[in-house]
Amino acid sequence: MKRAADLNESGSQSSYKDDEASLEDTLEALPQLLKKRQKALEEREQELERRVAAFERETGHMNTQLSNSDVLELNVGGTITSVLRRTLTSVEGSMLASRFSGRWDDTLEKDKNGNFFIDQPIHLFQPMIDYLRARNSETPLGPPVTSPDEFENETQRRNFVRMVEYFGMTPGIYPTVMELCRGEPATAEIFGHPNLGVSTSEWATFTLGTKGHNRPITSFSVILGQVERAQIGWVRSGHFVRKLRPGDHKGVGEEKFSFGLDCCRGGLLYEGKFTKIEGFSTGRGTVIRCENKGARWLVNGRVVASSIALDETFQLPPDLQQYHLVPAFSGKGDWKICEVELDPLVSEHKTTQSHHLSTI
């Protein structure tokens, strides 16, 4: 037993010595390990600095070499055509503008001759380019530029619309504009694309319409700024929209042939008839979304009114949706318009089913 105990004690002492030696070796090697890691970190930082410097040189080179006056050779579905860079980038924020901004020239698809390749039929792509060219040379003395509308058949028209949507070109090819409908022109400032919006020092009413085409607006969003008595909705253009007139007037939802949200009182309006929406409130930065010509309303992403709601406490006239409706806005202050959607079928005379709008 004593022998076994001596062996155990000897083994423990040996293990302890081994652990101690291992710890000493580790401590001795630690400075070297830290130096290696420090060196690796410095090398990575130097590589990052080299990449940043290279990027800045390339960017500077690009900025000096690339120009909006560059003539780009495009292979569009097998047809070679020449287009100015500024034509391709004229619709700010679009995929087409980003693609041909110059930042991605080295990565874009090219044919065997180095021409930028666009995988679209020329009979669809060319009308879009011709429209952009015409718009860039538009003058007050010349006839207004209209969106492409000459197609062989409805299928071709739909394919064109699909391509325009794909390239993010809808705001440019099928533009929308704000117009003063009620109020004093001297007190209002209207901003165009891409920051479509209004700033008015007096209470006024504006409409959102289309320019140079007949694709009706179906949905839109409003971002409220510092605005008083905001009323947002739809008006029957053939009756509500009149010549500008000064003085007091009723707003959207209060006047005849109009309906919408009353943000001040928190409810729905149709020709002066008010229906309260419980829990509905707005303020600076509130986003109001109106879909399908008033069939569905959302405030900061929450549905507050819908034509499919079970509690049918607010009902619009059965014939209202059969007429040409345009978005309209009343208020004093500033607000922005975004996420404007147009009818993909390109038909403003299409009859739609009536909606029974209910609060939920």
Side-chain angles (χ1 to χ4, degrees):
M1 294 293 293
K2 182 178 180 181
R3 179 62 178 170
D6 291 340
L7 289 175
N8 289 338
E9 182 177 359
S10 176
S12 298
Q13 292 176 351
S14 176
S15 176
Y16 175 80
K17 291 180 180 180
D18 291 340
D19 292 341
E20 187 177 22
S22 177
L23 178 60
E24 290 177 353
D25 292 340
T26 300
L27 292 174
E28 185 178 351
L30 185 58
Q32 297 297 326
L33 179 62
L34 292 176
K35 287 182 180 180
K36 289 182 179 180
R37 291 186 177 181
Q38 180 67 26
K39 183 178 180 181
L41 180 60
E42 292 175 351
E43 290 176 351
R44 291 171 65 180
E45 290 178 346
Q46 291 173 359
E47 176 63 18
L48 178 60
E49 291 176 355
R50 284 195 293 269
R51 292 185 180 184
V52 170
F55 175 78
E56 291 176 346
R57 288 195 300 271
E58 292 174 2
T59 303
H61 176 73
M62 180 185 71
N63 290 337
T64 57
Q65 297 296 321
L66 298 178
S67 168
N68 283 336
S69 60
D70 289 345
V71 178
L72 304 183
E73 299 296 325
L74 306 182
N75 180 340
V76 184
T79 300
I80 305 299
T81 184
S82 301
V83 186
L84 283 171
R85 188 184 296 276
R86 67 168 171 263
T87 300
L88 295 171
T89 59
S90 58
V91 179
E92 184 179 345
S94 67
M95 180 200 296
L96 198 67
S98 175
R99 178 175 293 186
F100 289 100
S101 64
R103 297 190 300 270
W104 319 111
D105 283 5
D106 292 338
T107 61
L108 294 178
E109 299 90 344
K110 299 181 179 68
D111 64 14
K112 62 181 180 181
N113 296 319
N115 302 311
F116 293 108
F117 183 75
I118 295 180
D119 196 17
Q120 295 287 338
I122 188 64
H123 68 269
L124 295 182
F125 194 80
Q126 193 66 54
M128 182 172 69
I129 296 303
D130 290 342
Y131 171 82
L132 295 175
R133 287 168 171 164
R135 196 183 69 170
N136 289 339
S137 59
E138 189 175 19
T139 64
L141 299 179
V145 177
T146 58
S147 303
D149 194 45
E150 298 296 327
F151 299 96
E152 294 182 0
N153 50 56
E154 186 62 23
T155 298
Q156 189 177 106
R157 182 194 305 274
R158 294 190 183 193
N159 287 336
F160 177 79
V161 170
R162 186 180 298 109
M163 180 197 69
V164 169
E165 295 281 358
Y166 169 76
F167 282 117
M169 298 289 287
T170 299
I173 305 302
Y174 297 103
T176 55
V177 293
M178 293 285 293
E179 294 183 343
L180 182 64
C181 180
R182 305 278 200 279
E184 293 285 357
T187 65
E189 184 177 5
I190 299 175
F191 307 98
H193 180 78
N195 298 309
L196 189 62
V198 167
S199 178
T200 175
S201 59
E202 298 294 337
W203 204 71
T205 297
F206 303 82
T207 56
L208 179 65
T210 57
K211 180 182 178 182
H213 64 94
N214 64 350
R215 290 183 65 187
I217 299 170
T218 59
S219 303
F220 63 91
S221 294
V222 179
I223 304 175
L224 299 180
Q226 194 67 39
V227 57
E228 301 176 13
R229 291 180 58 198
Q231 295 171 328
I232 301 168
W234 298 83
V235 299
R236 186 175 168 185
S237 62
H239 293 75
F240 179 92
V241 179
R242 309 290 187 188
K243 294 181 179 179
L244 297 182
R245 62 189 188 195
D248 294 335
H249 63 270
K250 297 179 180 179
V252 177
E254 292 181 314
E255 288 202 37
K256 197 174 181 181
F257 308 112
S258 67
F259 71 100
L261 288 181
D262 187 320
C263 298
C264 180
R265 290 187 288 173
L268 291 158
L269 274 173
Y270 171 69
E271 295 186 344
K273 177 185 175 182
F274 177 75
T275 301
K276 179 72 174 178
I277 299 178
E278 296 300 329
F280 169 40
S281 63
T282 61
R284 187 179 184 88
T286 296
V287 179
I288 297 176
R289 176 74 177 164
C290 178
E291 298 178 345
N292 194 17
K293 294 189 175 181
R296 178 178 160 95
W297 297 81
L298 300 92
V299 176
N300 290 332
R302 182 178 72 89
V303 178
V304 298
S306 172
S307 62
I308 61 174
L310 297 178
D311 181 19
E312 297 186 358
T313 58
F314 184 82
Q315 184 171 321
L316 296 177
D319 62 341
L320 183 62
Q321 296 281 341
Q322 297 178 12
Y323 296 100
H324 182 211
L325 302 175
V326 296
F329 321 87
S330 298
K332 174 185 176 181
D334 61 279
W335 58 90
K336 295 180 181 179
I337 310 299
C338 61
E339 298 178 317
V340 178
E341 293 183 9
L342 305 176
D343 191 333
L345 299 181
V346 200
S347 174
E348 69 174 359
H349 303 295
K350 180 182 62 175
T351 300
T352 60
Q353 296 179 350
S354 62
H355 295 279
H356 300 289
L357 188 62
S358 307
T359 62
I360 57 177

